[in-house]
Amino acid sequence: MIPRRILLQRNAQAFSRNLKQSQRLLPISTQPSLSLNSRLLSTGKPDTPTPPESQPIPQEEAPKPFVAPPAWQRRTPLWLLNRPLFVKTVKGLATMMGHNTKTQTAIRETRTIYQLCAEREVKETGFIYVESRLPPTFQTWFMFTNLHVWLLTTRFRALPPSYGRIYIQELINHFFLDAEYRLRSVYGPKCPERIIKRTMVDLRDQWNGSTYAYDLAAVTSDAELAAAVWRNLFAARGEKAYKEKDLSEEERERMLEQRRKDNDPEAAVEGSGAEGLEDLPRLLHGYVAHLRREMVRLSQISDEDVIAGRIGKFGRVGALNHPDAAGLELQGKAITQSS
């Protein structure tokens, strides 16, 4: 086996010979040659400044722009990169092997894009489980993540049809693969397969229904969009309490106890009944404003950037200027860990 030191020396000697040959053939420019992907990636926004320590919740970092490596770190000599025929041949071979096809590109880019949707529940635990009083269940994660998946599908529909259909399908595939993985973690390894399949079918029906509801509400009015969020994410909070308003106190307590025995998420969360409806209009307004704001932001991104997976990051649904934002996050994390 050749020692690592000898291999490094041989690589350095080979690089020196190639560099001398390139100097004889072509003058080396002071700027490194960038490929098409490198030029597109280099147009990103600069990093956001680091927030002061006094701020309770730090701002999320902006995507770092692509920085081309110096010439001495390149594995391919510059005189080869400056040969259009060589670059065209390499790209043609990669396409023949299926590396840069539309389907492969969609699978690769939507995997990264979906991670931006899946991380929202982790970054906003305080707002979801404390301020919104949603139960810390798999259903809450599914519906909250589905909101951001739906936002991306609205942008993907504006892409050329050959890209839009593939990107939507691959994004939904990543979403349901993640949902199945989390579902198996909740049920445990001994859960029968028929229960997993039946639950996945129910999740598919919920996704279909919520998508149709959000689509119709988005082109109708903010009131319809708030109603769609109320039905899907908040599980029509307060509807049961409204129907039970004419019952006596004993009958209401008996029905509430029965719902708790049936593992009703709404009955298990304190403040989700009639006494928790005073904050519901404000919460729904925040969700609707978030959806409208993100739709405008995504519409301002070019098709080339969307296809390349450069869509930025989602903003927060909850208000950043909350007087006790840090406390909300700590309470939300404690709720998720105890559930």
Side-chain angles (χ1 to χ4, degrees):
M1 183 176 182
I2 303 177
R4 179 180 177 84
R5 180 177 56 81
I6 298 178
L7 288 176
L8 292 176
Q9 291 177 356
R10 292 181 179 178
N11 291 335
Q13 294 174 359
F15 172 78
S16 178
R17 289 195 300 269
N18 292 333
L19 183 61
K20 292 180 180 179
Q21 185 177 1
S22 63
Q23 291 175 350
R24 290 195 300 268
L25 294 176
L26 288 175
I28 301 178
S29 75
T30 57
Q31 297 293 334
S33 176
L34 301 179
S35 63
L36 177 60
N37 293 335
S38 302
R39 291 197 297 271
L40 291 175
L41 287 171
S42 62
T43 59
K45 297 181 180 180
D47 295 343
T48 55
T50 304
E53 297 181 356
S54 60
Q55 189 172 354
I57 296 181
Q59 298 286 344
E60 298 178 3
E61 296 182 359
K64 295 183 179 180
F66 175 79
V67 179
W72 60 271
Q73 289 184 353
R74 295 179 180 272
R75 294 184 177 181
T76 306
L78 289 177
W79 65 273
L80 283 179
L81 294 179
N82 290 328
R83 290 286 190 263
L85 181 60
F86 171 77
V87 176
K88 184 177 180 180
T89 302
V90 172
K91 290 184 177 180
L93 291 175
T95 303
M96 290 176 57
M97 292 184 290
H99 179 67
N100 289 326
T101 60
K102 292 181 179 179
T103 302
Q104 290 294 330
T105 303
I107 294 174
R108 182 175 62 252
E109 300 302 336
T110 52
R111 182 185 299 111
T112 304
I113 292 174
Y114 171 71
Q115 294 300 324
L116 301 175
C117 301
E119 69 182 7
R120 297 317 309 164
E121 184 264 347
V122 179
K123 291 182 177 294
E124 299 198 60
T125 55
F127 178 78
I128 298 172
Y129 302 119
V130 179
E131 191 168 356
S132 298
R133 299 177 181 178
L134 292 171
T137 59
F138 171 83
Q139 183 69 22
T140 299
W141 170 86
F142 182 82
M143 282 301 173
F144 187 81
T145 306
N146 183 46
L147 269 179
H148 297 84
V149 172
W150 170 76
L151 281 172
L152 292 176
T153 57
T154 59
R155 181 61 184 90
F156 289 162
R157 293 172 198 166
L159 294 175
S162 58
Y163 283 97
R165 289 190 294 268
I166 299 176
Y167 270 66
I168 292 175
Q169 183 62 56
E170 296 304 330
L171 178 65
I172 301 304
N173 288 344
H174 290 308
F175 180 34
F176 275 88
L177 285 174
D178 188 21
E180 182 179 359
Y181 173 78
R182 293 171 183 261
L183 190 65
R184 292 181 182 276
S185 301
V186 172
Y187 283 162
K190 296 183 179 180
C191 179
E193 193 67 23
R194 58 181 176 81
I195 296 180
I196 299 293
K197 292 182 179 179
R198 185 173 58 189
T199 307
M200 292 300 297
V201 172
D202 292 340
L203 293 178
R204 183 200 60 188
D205 295 340
Q206 293 179 29
W207 171 79
N208 276 324
S210 62
T211 300
Y212 293 146
Y214 293 145
D215 286 343
L216 179 61
V219 298
T220 304
S221 64
D222 289 347
E224 290 291 337
L225 188 56
V229 174
W230 173 69
R231 292 192 305 269
N232 291 279
L233 182 60
F234 286 86
R237 175 183 296 177
E239 183 182 16
K240 296 177 182 178
Y242 178 79
K243 293 179 180 179
E244 299 170 0
K245 64 178 182 178
D246 296 331
L247 299 178
S248 63
E249 189 67 24
E250 295 180 358
E251 293 177 345
R252 191 180 298 112
E253 287 294 333
R254 186 169 60 252
M255 296 186 66
L256 181 61
E257 185 65 25
Q258 182 61 37
R259 292 210 307 269
R260 286 173 178 170
K261 292 180 180 179
D262 296 339
N263 294 326
D264 189 347
E266 183 175 340
V269 179
E270 182 182 358
S272 60
E275 68 277 6
L277 298 180
E278 63 274 3
D279 292 336
L280 188 58
R282 179 182 60 83
L283 294 173
L284 292 177
H285 176 268
Y287 279 95
V288 172
H290 170 72
L291 294 176
R292 294 295 187 186
R293 182 173 60 248
E294 289 299 324
M295 281 191 282
V296 172
R297 184 185 68 85
L298 291 173
S299 66
Q300 296 174 351
I301 303 176
S302 63
D303 290 348
E304 291 77 9
D305 288 337
V306 173
I307 292 174
R310 297 186 295 271
I311 64 167
K313 291 186 178 182
F314 290 105
R316 289 181 176 270
V317 183
L320 287 176
N321 56 355
H322 194 279
D324 192 18
L328 282 179
E329 293 298 324
L330 292 176
Q331 294 179 36
K333 292 180 180 178
I335 291 175
T336 55
Q337 291 175 1
S338 61
S339 61

